[in-house]
């Protein structure tokens, strides 16, 4: 039995979807533990591209169990549109293949309204959220006024909670934020339809996963977003509203930490970020544009162009520590082919010190000057490489430096979006 976490080691979009799909071959159960449909995970199988937001990337296999854990926030509208999208592409989504936690919180229409209105109210300090209602839904969860899936399953409970919420939310929306009130009956009727459709999928997923672990099944926990979007360890407030780091797995699934054996950090060979917030190694020049075009760095969920920059080993070292990584998977090594020189950040000059950890304060971070080490690039395309030995010498040096600096081995190297464009170097 192995239980392992696949998590983003940077600002999201590292290739978690691809790596989850690749590693899911070795797992029977694939579990999402945080975030919601703010995520956009791309998987390419046999010339077809799938874009997943809420459903675990293991769904593309015929006989694996996929779980949406209690730590996820679930927008039923998004869930059903994803199920329909997959079914249209010939992927079966049945209650045998997908379970949704009865403890997960439900994204309501007012969460989406609030997300957009609050962003507008922040003005120049906007976070650049995906507008999917993620933050307001988690706010209600922690404020203890949220509506859970189990509440949605009970008509009377749901009715009462919706009324209570709408009476306060509508005042806030109309009187403070200048938006339009939501109509109780309209929301209630639509959500009652969702409730019916959702019912067969709803389970106590902590019990379900625990039983699978006891049966010796392998379980893969699929993270969304990335280390620096973590609510505690990210570039607060330019973060998402959940724990994207390994610590989020236990609380987000109801599985104790001693039952989780490995954590693999997915790291892109360079760095990208969507939305606002600091980014020390950002390249706002022709090289950044070159990487964006060659790496097709445009968001899966919002279509926004991603900011691009050099690989930052300070970030990877921080992720290795915070999430206790057992190894890295380095993706998009193929994208960098063709750059004559590559830079890698190996520390920040901060006041009169050199630091190799990520500071908490954004004001301190703004003062940090990245210290770079330069590497010779590799001219040759590597999308066909099948082994570590087959990689150019300079690519190997680049990977070795990641291992050396972070004290964490690289167990997987990805050289293209497809399953077979993956090189396994060792145990995860
Ligand atoms: P996620 O959110 O971490 O799952 O990543 P996204 O799907 O948002 O973005 C990663 C993009 O890179 C997707 O379009 C993937 O198909 C693609 N991708 C993943 N690994 C590789 C790789 O090694 N090389 C290339 N060229 N593309 C990759
Ligand atoms: P995957 O799983 C990249 C970013 C948003 C914004 C911030 C807060 O595909 O890696 P939110 O809507 O979560 O309140 O937005 O977080 N963000 C992501 N960036 N990849 C993601 O997911 C993201 N999910 C949220 O752009 O800056
Ligand atoms: Mg993504």
């Amino acid at each position: 039995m192995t239980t392992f976490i696949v998590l983003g080691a940077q600002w999201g979009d590292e290739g978690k979807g691809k790596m989850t799909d690749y590693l899911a071959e070795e797992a029977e159960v694939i579990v999402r533990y945080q975030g919601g449909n703010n995520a956009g995970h791309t998987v390419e199988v046999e010339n077809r591209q799938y874009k997943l937001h809420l459903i675990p990337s293991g769904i593309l296999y015929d006989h694996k169990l996929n779980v949406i854990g209690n730590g996820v926030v679930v927008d039923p509208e998004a869930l059903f549109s994803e199920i329909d999208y997959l079914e249209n592409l010939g992927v079966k989504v049945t209650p045998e293949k997908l379970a949704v936690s009865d403890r997960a919180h439900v994204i309501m229409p007012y969460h989406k309204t609030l997300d957009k209105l609050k962003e507008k109210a922040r003005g120049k300090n906007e976070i650049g959220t995906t507008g999917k209602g993620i933050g307001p839904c988690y706010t209600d969860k922690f404020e203890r006024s949220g509506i859970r899936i189990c509440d949605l399953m009970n008509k009377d409970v749901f009715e009462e909670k919706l009324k209570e919420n709408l009476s306060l939310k509508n005042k806030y929306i109309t009187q403070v934020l200048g938006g339009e009130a939501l109509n109780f009956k309209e929301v209630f009727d639509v959500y009652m339809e969702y409730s019916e459709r959702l019912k067969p999928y709803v389970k106590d997923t902590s019990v379900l996963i625990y039983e699978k672990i006891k049966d010796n099944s392998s379980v893969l926990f699929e993270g969304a977003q990335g280390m620096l979007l973590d609510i505690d360890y990210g570039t607060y407030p330019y973060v998402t509203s959940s724990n994207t780091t390994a610590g989020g797995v236990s609380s987000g699934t109801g599985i104790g930490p001693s039952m989780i054996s490995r954590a693999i950090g997915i790291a892109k060979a360079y760095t990208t970020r969507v939305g606002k917030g600091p980014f020390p190694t950002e390249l706002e020049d022709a090289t950044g544009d070159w990487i964006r075009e060659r790496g097709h760095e445009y968001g899966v969920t919002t279509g926004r162009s991603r900011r691009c920059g050099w690989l930052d080993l300070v970030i990877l070292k921080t992720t290795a520590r915070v999430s206790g990584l057992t190894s890295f998977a380095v993706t998009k090594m193929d994208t960098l082919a063709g750059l004559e020189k590559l830079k890698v950040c190996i520390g920040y000059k901060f006041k009169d010190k050199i630091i190799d950890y990520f500071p908490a304060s954004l004001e301190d971070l703004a003062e940090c000057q990245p210290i770079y080490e330069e590497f010779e690039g590799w001219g040759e395309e590597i999308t066909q490489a099948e082994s570590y030995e087959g990689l150019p010498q300079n690519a190997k040096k680049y990977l070795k430096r990641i291992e050396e600096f972070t004290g964490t081995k690289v167990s997987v190297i990805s050289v293209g979006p497809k399953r077979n464009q993956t090189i396994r170097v060792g145990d995860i």
Side-chain angles (χ1 to χ4, degrees), residues 283-350:
L283 286 164
E284 290 176 284
D285 60 9
T287 309
D289 296 341
W290 186 90
I291 295 174
R292 182 176 311 106
E293 290 316 311
R294 195 167 148 83
H296 310 291
E297 294 297 352
Y298 295 92
V300 181
T301 300
T302 58
R304 289 178 290 178
S305 69
R306 296 174 181 155
R307 299 155 65 191
C308 298
W310 296 123
L311 181 66
D312 189 339
L313 293 182
V314 174
I315 295 174
L316 299 196
K317 192 171 189 166
T318 304
T319 308
R321 184 187 80 243
V322 174
S323 282
L325 297 184
T326 49
S327 71
F328 278 110
V330 180
T331 62
K332 295 200 136 178
M333 281 294 283
D334 55 301
T335 300
L336 294 180
L339 279 176
E340 209 175 306
K341 303 266 186 207
L342 300 168
K343 284 186 184 174
V344 169
C345 173
I346 51 150
Y348 300 148
K349 188 167 182 321
F350 175 55

Side-chain angles (χ1 to χ4, degrees), residues 12-13 16 39-42 300 306:
D13 305 324
K16 296 175 295 293
H41 296 180
T42 317
V300 181
R306 296 174 181 155

Side-chain angles (χ1 to χ4, degrees), residues 8 11-16 32 34 36-42 52-53 115 119 127-136 223-226 229 237-241 272-277 300-302 304 306:
W11 272 291
D13 305 324
E14 300 91 347
K16 296 175 295 293
R32 275 279 306 270
Q34 45 69 233
N37 60 313
N38 48 349
H41 296 180
T42 317
L52 298 157
H53 299 281
D115 197 355
E119 275 285 87
I127 293 164
T129 72
T130 58
K132 306 290 181 189
I134 307 295
Q225 291 83 49
L229 291 171
Y238 299 101
V239 293
T240 193
S241 298
T272 63
R273 158 160 224 180
V274 207
K276 286 189 55 178
V300 181
T301 300
T302 58
R304 289 178 290 178
R306 296 174 181 155

Side-chain angles (χ1 to χ4, degrees), residues 10 267-271 281 283 291 309-313 316 328 330-337 339-346 372-378 382 388 391-406 408 410 413:
Q10 293 148 325
K268 214 180 263 188
Y270 46 96
T271 314
T281 64
L283 286 164
I291 295 174
W310 296 123
L311 181 66
D312 189 339
L313 293 182
L316 299 196
F328 278 110
V330 180
T331 62
K332 295 200 136 178
M333 281 294 283
D334 55 301
T335 300
L336 294 180
L339 279 176
E340 209 175 306
K341 303 266 186 207
L342 300 168
K343 284 186 184 174
V344 169
C345 173
I346 51 150
Y372 289 112
E373 212 167 75
E374 204 169 73
F375 284 76
E376 296 294 322
W378 49 96
I382 56 171
Y388 180 77
L391 290 174
Q393 207 53 35
N394 289 343
K396 287 188 217 168
K397 279 189 192 157
Y398 193 78
L399 293 163
K400 277 274 163 255
R401 188 68 177 116
I402 297 175
E403 294 187 323
E404 200 176 76
F405 188 89
T406 60
T408 307
V410 172
I413 302 158

Side-chain angles (χ1 to χ4, degrees), residues 67-347:
V67 178
I68 296 179
N70 59 275
V72 176
V73 285
V74 179
D75 179 345
E77 187 187 9
L79 178 66
F80 295 131
S81 89
E82 198 163 316
I83 291 176
D84 295 342
Y85 157 82
L86 287 167
E87 294 260 348
N88 276 331
L89 293 175
V91 180
K92 286 267 159 290
V93 185
T94 60
E96 285 69 45
K97 276 183 75 183
L98 179 70
V100 181
S101 168
D102 50 6
R103 287 181 168 82
H105 279 247
V106 183
I107 297 183
M108 301 297 297
Y110 47 81
H111 292 135
K112 293 184 252 188
T113 304
L114 284 168
D115 197 355
K116 292 179 190 121
L117 290 173
K118 286 177 107 169
E119 275 285 87
K120 209 167 134 202
R122 285 186 191 108
K124 69 174 180 35
N125 291 327
E126 61 164 3
I127 293 164
T129 72
T130 58
K132 306 290 181 189
I134 307 295
C137 185
Y138 279 114
T139 302
D140 281 359
K141 171 176 177 170
F142 286 92
E143 201 246 350
R144 295 157 295 178
S145 59
I147 297 179
R148 296 180 298 163
I149 299 274
C150 58
D151 303 324
L152 181 60
M153 293 299 112
N154 182 321
K155 192 175 176 198
D156 297 337
V157 171
F158 179 71
E159 182 172 355
E160 193 187 325
K161 293 203 174 208
L162 178 62
K163 274 190 181 145
E164 218 172 88
N165 267 290
L166 272 184
S167 73
L168 288 174
K169 300 286 193 292
N170 272 340
K171 274 190 205 133
Y172 185 43
I173 288 171
T174 55
Q175 294 171 22
V176 179
L177 298 170
E180 277 187 36
L182 287 101
N183 178 280
F184 167 80
K185 177 113 180 44
E186 277 171 24
V187 178
F188 182 76
D189 289 348
V190 173
Y191 272 69
M192 278 299 103
E193 281 173 30
Y194 293 154
S195 172
E196 271 312 300
R197 194 172 169 194
L198 198 56
K199 213 163 255 165
Y201 299 93
V202 178
K203 313 249 160 73
D204 185 320
T205 52
S206 167
V207 173
L208 187 64
I209 302 165
Y210 182 67
E211 280 171 357
K212 292 284 180 188
I213 293 175
K214 282 210 301 188
D215 276 353
N216 258 334
S217 293
S218 289
V219 180
L220 187 165
F221 298 97
E222 177 184 7
Q225 291 83 49
M227 145 85 205
L228 286 172
L229 291 171
D230 182 272
I231 188 80
D232 285 285
Y233 274 87
T235 43
Y236 192 91
Y238 299 101
V239 293
T240 193
S241 298
S242 61
N243 280 118
T244 60
T245 42
V249 175
S250 281
S251 59
T253 61
I255 294 298
S258 65
M259 282 182 269
I260 298 160
S261 39
R262 320 244 162 104
I264 177 166
I266 314 303
K268 214 180 263 188
Y270 46 96
T271 314
T272 63
R273 158 160 224 180
V274 207
K276 286 189 55 178
F279 181 172
T281 64
E282 183 167 14
L283 286 164
E284 290 176 284
D285 60 9
T287 309
D289 296 341
W290 186 90
I291 295 174
R292 182 176 311 106
E293 290 316 311
R294 195 167 148 83
H296 310 291
E297 294 297 352
Y298 295 92
V300 181
T301 300
T302 58
R304 289 178 290 178
S305 69
R306 296 174 181 155
R307 299 155 65 191
C308 298
W310 296 123
L311 181 66
D312 189 339
L313 293 182
V314 174
I315 295 174
L316 299 196
K317 192 171 189 166
T318 304
T319 308
R321 184 187 80 243
V322 174
S323 282
L325 297 184
T326 49
S327 71
F328 278 110
V330 180
T331 62
K332 295 200 136 178
M333 281 294 283
D334 55 301
T335 300
L336 294 180
L339 279 176
E340 209 175 306
K341 303 266 186 207
L342 300 168
K343 284 186 184 174
V344 169
C345 173
I346 51 150

